[in-house]
Amino acid sequence: MVAIRKPKAKKLQLDLALQGGGAHGAFTWGVLDRLLEEEDIEITGISGTSAGAMNAAVLIDGYNEGGRKRAKQQLHDFWREISEAAATFAPFGQVPHTGIMPGMEWMNAFNPMDMMSRMFSPYECNPLNINPMRGVLERILEPKHLQNGIKLYVTATNVETGEARVFQGNEITIDVLLASACLPFVYQAVEIDGVPYWDGGYMGNPAIWPLIYGTKCHDVLLVQINPLTRSGTPKTAMDIINRVNEISFNSSLIAEMRAINFVRKLIKKGRLKNTEYADMRMHRVLPPADLQEMNASSKMNASWDFFLLLHGIGRTQMDAWLTKNKKYLGKESSIDIQEQFLAKSHIRKTKQVT
């Protein structure tokens, strides 16, 4: 009797869009760590900026070297090395984790570094252009591992033109990753082929359009770190700067969400054909409210305890997302773009007087 083989279940395809956010990128590490345990979900492409680009590159490097298990280990090793490098480099040291959830006692610990970066340029206070990230990436990554398999897109901002540059394929190097995470108040601009670049978050945090045009997958999971809204009016100089940065780093994302929502509406109304335009299904994982409310200066906290805390929160949030929303993959969006990204930015309608 011949045994009948059951056809293999088709895997759910998913693209990832990973925001940057400094040390808060350890939250994304936790999200990815949990996602990699879902054997029936195939990651087809990742667009990342800053810490999001680092997470993406490290995941792909590990995955191409030894599958999901190796990718999980590679992410762990990366964040561990970041913490160790920061411990020897940071002039103000690190603050140990002292509670279940970081509270206000964390917030002012990193303000001196933030303040110094506002007073002196990196060309003045870091003339040798020392970046501890370079050594970590050189030890962890093998750039040739990034050329195949999961497609990778990394965004950096052209200093001269102010435009976003999306690197892909064999364009992606250690310098490209450093450029994507180059905060202009902290590091000197990274030159690639004679062109200076700053952090990609200014023009694409992250850029979603490369996934729309570069892969055949129509499901995109956004791992969002930077809060869109923050209650109250900032009054101190530091709080004002932090809020301006949050708004700046979210502006391009909101613009892309508006475009995606607009196209979806036209397709639904039959004005555009979904054979010619991508009807994207959008999904999102967010940190809990108490993490979103943390002061932006906490993004400079590179203590291992803090990273582990964020990693655990990321795993928990991703686990909850999978339980609630995995069923939507390949079928429909699990977020309402209009409500969650655009509702508060509506234009007031007034009667036209003739």
Side-chain angles (χ1 to χ4, degrees):
M1 185 175 180
V2 179
I4 299 176
R5 293 184 178 180
K6 293 183 178 180
K8 290 185 179 180
K10 189 175 181 180
K11 289 191 175 184
L12 299 168
Q13 292 191 330
L14 183 63
D15 284 345
L16 304 177
L18 309 181
Q19 270 200 333
H24 289 194
F27 168 82
T28 303
W29 164 32
V31 169
L32 298 176
D33 190 54
R34 177 63 185 86
L35 179 60
L36 285 166
E37 295 169 5
E38 297 296 300
E39 298 282 348
D40 60 338
I41 294 180
E42 178 186 3
I43 302 171
T44 53
I46 309 179
S47 178
T49 298
S50 196
M54 305 284 184
N55 274 317
V58 171
L59 183 152
I60 293 173
D61 176 87
Y63 193 91
N64 285 340
E65 184 180 347
R68 294 170 185 263
K69 185 177 180 180
R70 180 57 187 162
K72 285 165 65 70
Q73 184 62 49
Q74 196 85 317
L75 283 164
H76 173 278
D77 293 347
F78 170 75
W79 284 98
R80 182 68 188 184
E81 287 215 24
I82 289 297
S83 178
E84 292 174 353
T88 59
F89 180 77
F92 296 97
Q94 297 188 40
V95 176
H97 173 52
T98 57
I100 295 176
M101 188 68 202
M104 290 304 295
E105 70 275 7
W106 296 75
M107 304 312 178
N108 295 324
F110 302 92
N111 282 352
M113 293 170 60
D114 223 357
M115 194 174 299
M116 180 178 289
S117 70
R118 309 296 175 183
M119 296 173 62
F120 303 99
S121 85
Y123 297 88
E124 296 170 318
C125 61
N126 187 11
L128 298 179
N129 200 21
I130 298 172
N131 188 337
M133 287 293 302
R134 180 178 295 278
V136 173
L137 291 173
E138 288 175 348
R139 288 191 296 273
I140 291 286
L141 289 180
E142 179 57 62
K144 67 180 181 181
H145 290 163
L146 306 178
Q147 315 308 325
N148 302 308
I150 301 172
K151 293 184 177 180
L152 175 60
Y153 304 95
V154 175
T155 303
T157 301
N158 185 315
V159 177
E160 297 175 330
T161 67
E163 297 176 341
R165 165 74 188 276
V166 177
F167 296 86
Q168 57 183 302
N170 58 14
E171 295 176 332
I172 299 175
T173 61
I174 301 296
D175 279 343
V176 166
L177 294 171
L178 291 174
S180 183
C182 181
L183 291 172
F185 294 107
V186 180
Y187 299 112
Q188 297 180 24
V190 178
E191 288 198 6
I192 300 171
D193 295 330
V195 178
Y197 290 95
W198 280 339
D199 195 296
Y202 293 107
M203 298 305 297
N205 193 25
I208 298 176
W209 64 263
L211 299 172
I212 298 175
Y213 294 105
T215 78
K216 296 181 180 180
C217 177
H218 284 188
D219 285 87
V220 176
L221 174 64
L222 168 67
V223 182
Q224 187 178 343
I225 295 176
N226 299 301
L228 292 175
T229 61
R230 189 181 288 277
S231 300
T233 302
K235 300 294 178 64
T236 69
M238 193 64 61
D239 287 343
I240 292 171
I241 291 171
N242 288 338
R243 186 56 186 149
V244 167
N245 284 337
E246 285 177 343
I247 293 172
S248 298
F249 275 46
N250 278 323
S251 61
S252 59
L253 173 64
I254 293 174
E256 282 204 85
M257 284 298 191
R258 180 178 287 110
I260 290 170
N261 193 55
F262 181 65
V263 170
R264 293 200 73 199
K265 283 184 176 180
L266 292 180
I267 291 175
K268 189 175 181 179
K269 292 178 180 179
R271 296 181 183 179
L272 294 178
K273 297 180 180 179
N274 59 10
T275 55
E276 298 178 5
Y277 294 87
D279 187 5
M280 302 303 295
R281 296 179 289 267
M282 297 301 302
H283 314 276
R284 179 173 68 167
V285 175
L286 280 170
D290 43 9
L291 180 57
Q292 292 188 58
E293 291 171 2
M294 290 182 66
N295 189 288
S297 64
S298 65
K299 293 179 180 180
M300 301 176 73
N301 184 353
S303 74
W304 181 236
D305 283 346
F306 189 45
F307 285 169
L308 288 178
L309 176 73
L310 296 182
H311 169 266
I313 295 172
R315 280 190 59 90
T316 299
Q317 293 295 99
M318 187 63 205
D319 190 70
W321 185 90
L322 288 165
T323 299
K324 183 179 179 180
N325 300 303
K326 185 177 178 179
K327 61 187 177 185
Y328 295 116
L329 293 181
K331 298 176 182 177
E332 59 182 285
S333 293
S334 59
I335 62 171
D336 185 330
I337 295 177
Q338 180 68 38
E339 178 183 342
Q340 298 183 28
F341 284 88
L342 308 179
K344 296 180 181 62
S345 62
H346 63 278
I347 300 175
R348 292 181 180 177
K349 294 181 179 180
T350 57
K351 286 185 177 181
Q352 185 176 2
V353 180
T354 58

